[in-house]
C-alpha cells in the first residue's frame, strides 16, 4: 500500500516593502542609526535598496505609522521615536483576548507600582512633584465625577511613572494602566468613599516622594492597590472573572 505523500506548508514570500521596513528597523534597533539622524529621501533609498519607488514608499509608510520615521517640510526623512500609545492599546487588547482576570491585573499592578514608586522616591524632581500636585488639585475639584476622577487617577500614576525616570518601567506599566482606568471608574460609581480614599492615597504618595521615604511610599502603594481590590469586590465583581465580561456588563 502506497504511503500518503507528506504535506508541506506553503512557502510565504515576504513582500518587498516589508523587507525594506524591516531592514531600516533593524538598523534603528541595533543603534546604527538613532533618533534624530537623517535617513535621506525616498529617491536615495530607491537607489540603495534597488527597488521601485512604490516599494520604498510603502515600507516608509509602515515605519511612519509607528513613529520610527518622520518627514520634515522638505520631505526628507528622519529617524523618530516610536509611538507608545498604539503599542499599549494593542497589548491591552491582547490581555482582553486572553481573558485576563482582575486578580492578574491587581497582582501585576502591585509589582510594577512598587518598583515605580521606589524609583520615583529616588529620582523625582521638583518639576515632577509640581505636576503631581496639579493633578491632585484637579482630582479634588472633580471628586463627584467618577469618570473624571478615574481618568485623573490614570494620569497621576503616569506622572509617578515619569517621576521614576525609568523608561522601561513606564513602558511596562502602560498596557495594564489602560485597563486599570476602566475598573477604577466602575468602582467609583459603586463605592461612595472610593474617590476621597483615592485622593488621600495620592496625597500620601506625593508626601513620601517629597520626603524621599521609600518605606512610606511602599506602604501607601500597597494600601492604595488593596483599596482598589476591595472596592472591586464591594462593587459585586468576581476577582477571577475575565475583565472583558465585567466591562461589557457595565457598558
Amino acid at each position: 500500500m502506497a504511503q500518503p505523500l507528506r504535506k508541506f506548508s506553503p512557502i510565504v514570500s515576504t513582500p518587498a516593502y516589508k523587507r525594506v521596513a524591516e531592514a531600516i528597523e533593524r538598523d534603528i534597533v541595533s543603534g546604527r542609526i538613532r533618533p534624530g539622524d537623517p535617513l535621506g529621501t525616498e529617491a536615495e533609498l530607491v537607489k540603495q535598496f534597488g527597488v521601485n519607488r512604490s516599494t520604498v514608499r510603502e515600507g516608509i509608510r509602515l515605519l511612519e505609522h509607528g513613529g520610527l520615521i518622520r518627514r520634515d517640510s522638505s520631505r526628507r526623512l528622519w529617524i523618530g521615536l516610536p509611538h507608545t500609545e498604539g503599542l499599549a492599546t494593542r497589548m491591552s487588547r491582547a490581555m482582553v483576548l486572553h481573558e485576563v482576570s482582575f486578580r492578574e491585573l491587581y497582582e501585576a499592578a502591585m509589582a510594577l507600582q512598587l518598583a515605580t514608586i521606589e524609583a520615583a522616591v529616588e529620582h523625582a524632581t521638583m518639576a515632577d512633584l509640581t505636576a503631581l500636585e496639579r493633578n491632585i488639585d484637579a482630582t479634588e475639584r472633580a471628586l463627584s465625577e467618577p469618570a473624571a476622577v478615574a481618568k485623573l487617577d490614570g494620569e497621576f500614576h503616569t506622572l509617578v511613572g515619569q517621576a521614576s525616570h525609568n523608561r522601561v518601567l513606564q513602558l511596562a506599566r502602560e498596557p495594564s494602566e489602560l485597563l486599570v482606568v476602566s475598573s477604577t471608574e466602575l468602582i467609583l460609581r459603586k463605592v461612595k468613599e472610593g474617590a476621597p480614599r483615592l485622593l488621600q492615597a495620592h496625597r500620601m504618595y506625593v508626601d513620601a516622594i517629597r520626603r524621599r521615604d521609600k518605606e512610606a511610599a511602599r506602604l501607601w502603594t500597597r494600601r492604595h492597590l488593596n483599596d482598589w481590590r476591595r472596592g472591586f469586590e464591594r462593587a459585586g465583581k468576581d476577582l477571577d472573572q475575565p475583565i472583558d465580561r465585567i466591562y461589557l456588563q457595565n457598558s
Side-chain angles (χ1 to χ4, degrees), residues 87-100:
L87 175 61
T89 302
R90 290 195 297 275
M91 288 296 293
S92 298
R93 288 173 183 157
M95 290 182 196
V96 169
L97 290 171
H98 282 277
E99 299 191 324
V100 167

Side-chain angles (χ1 to χ4, degrees), residues 25-197:
E25 186 171 356
R26 277 197 302 272
D27 274 11
I28 295 171
V29 172
S30 70
R32 284 192 286 271
I33 47 179
R34 301 177 60 81
D37 286 351
L39 187 62
T41 64
E42 287 183 0
E44 289 166 345
L45 292 173
V46 165
K47 291 179 180 177
Q48 290 179 51
F49 284 109
V51 294
N52 61 47
R53 187 143 191 169
S54 64
T55 297
V56 165
R57 187 165 293 154
E58 285 301 311
I60 293 300
R61 189 171 295 154
L62 280 179
L63 298 173
E64 282 184 298
H65 183 71
L68 283 174
I69 288 179
R70 60 180 177 82
R71 296 174 189 264
D72 63 19
S73 56
S74 68
R75 308 298 292 167
R76 292 188 69 82
L77 303 167
W78 299 79
I79 306 304
L81 286 170
H83 302 315
T84 61
E85 296 88 348
L87 175 61
T89 302
R90 290 195 297 275
M91 288 296 293
S92 298
R93 288 173 183 157
M95 290 182 196
V96 169
L97 290 171
H98 282 277
E99 299 191 324
V100 167
S101 68
F102 182 90
R103 189 186 302 279
E104 292 173 296
L105 193 60
Y106 161 80
E107 290 170 353
M110 183 68 80
L112 287 168
Q113 289 198 28
L114 283 170
T116 302
I117 195 69
E118 288 189 7
V121 167
E122 286 189 17
H123 304 299
T125 65
M126 284 304 300
D128 294 323
L129 286 165
T130 298
L132 286 164
E133 286 167 348
R134 285 177 182 155
N135 175 278
I136 287 173
D137 290 342
T139 302
E140 187 169 17
R141 291 193 297 271
L143 220 51
S144 62
E145 305 169 41
V149 173
K151 183 178 178 182
L152 285 162
D153 177 63
E155 290 175 2
F156 179 86
H157 290 290
T158 296
L159 290 169
V160 173
Q162 291 171 1
S164 75
H165 294 273
N166 184 313
R167 287 168 292 181
V168 174
L169 284 173
Q170 292 176 55
L171 290 168
R173 290 174 61 256
E174 283 182 12
S176 59
E177 284 297 327
L178 292 174
L179 302 178
V180 168
V181 170
S182 297
S183 62
T184 299
E185 181 180 349
L186 184 156
I187 293 164
L188 294 176
R189 292 189 183 281
K190 300 283 187 178
V191 181
K192 290 183 179 179
E193 65 270 29
R197 287 180 70 87

